[in-house]
Amino acid sequence: MQVRTAITAVLGSSISFSAAAPHPRANIPSELNITGLAASTESGKPAAHFAFAVSIPGGGDAIKCSFYGRAAAGGLLPDVAWRPCDDPTVQWQFRHEPSRPGTSGPYLLVVTYRVDAQTGQRVGGFKEWQASLFPAEESPDGITQSYKGESNFVVANLSEGYELARGGMEAR
């Protein structure tokens, strides 16, 4: 239930359904391989950095994805809105999910891959982490936060039929 709630929140309120023509299964990957995930804020600076690479099984070279921008209030990792990777067939988003009072919600990385250039159809999946893998640490220069989990993993919960539209995801 928590995962369904999290992905629904990420997809936003602009979900629409339509009868899109099915695509051949051979073009649709069953998983995305993520390597080298690093996320951190910089001590004494209002900056945050995310970096990782995405590989599509049977595809070409790994596609680099990154963000360097402003940290959230208090030196914490910011939510990162949908953005393309070096190859825009892959798009991603990072966010800290809401929590119950007195707790910290999970962190979520959502990655999509465009399987059809003409229709814009995408498959999308996500990785969810407990907040404990993103500890905030105090230093003499302020608070920093960084990801302390596995840097390589597989996103195998892909769903078909998503497209990027009007700045958000829509189910087709």
Side-chain angles (χ1 to χ4, degrees):
M1 183 67 173
Q2 181 181 18
V3 171
R4 181 176 289 153
T5 302
I7 196 67
T8 300
V10 169
L11 296 177
S13 61
S14 62
I15 295 181
S16 66
F17 295 94
S18 68
H23 294 277
R25 295 288 314 158
N27 295 340
I28 299 175
S30 60
E31 64 186 33
L32 300 173
N33 298 315
I34 309 297
T35 56
L37 177 66
S40 62
T41 60
E42 295 181 31
S43 182
K45 298 180 183 178
H49 182 260
F50 293 85
F52 61 96
V54 177
S55 299
I56 292 85
D61 294 335
I63 298 166
K64 294 179 182 176
C65 306
S66 63
F67 168 84
Y68 185 82
R70 200 154 187 76
L76 301 178
L77 290 167
D79 286 351
V80 178
W82 287 109
R83 61 187 304 109
C85 295
D86 286 353
D87 177 340
T89 60
V90 176
Q91 303 237 349
W92 67 283
Q93 178 186 68
F94 177 85
R95 60 187 290 149
H96 186 191
E97 291 295 309
S99 63
R100 295 182 199 156
T103 66
S104 184
Y107 287 83
L108 190 69
L109 173 70
V110 182
V111 180
T112 68
Y113 172 67
R114 187 176 64 219
V115 295
D116 189 315
Q118 290 183 323
T119 66
Q121 182 183 11
R122 294 180 169 273
V123 293
F126 61 94
K127 174 72 173 173
E128 182 179 60
W129 295 275
Q130 294 178 352
S132 62
L133 291 175
F134 292 87
E137 299 169 345
E138 197 161 338
S139 74
D141 295 328
I143 294 176
T144 61
Q145 185 179 27
S146 60
Y147 172 60
K148 303 290 187 186
E150 294 292 325
S151 61
N152 303 327
F153 53 89
V154 173
V155 173
N157 59 357
L158 299 182
S159 297
E160 295 178 41
Y162 293 100
E163 69 180 30
L164 210 55
R166 296 186 305 275
M169 272 311 197
E170 290 188 355
R172 290 191 48 83

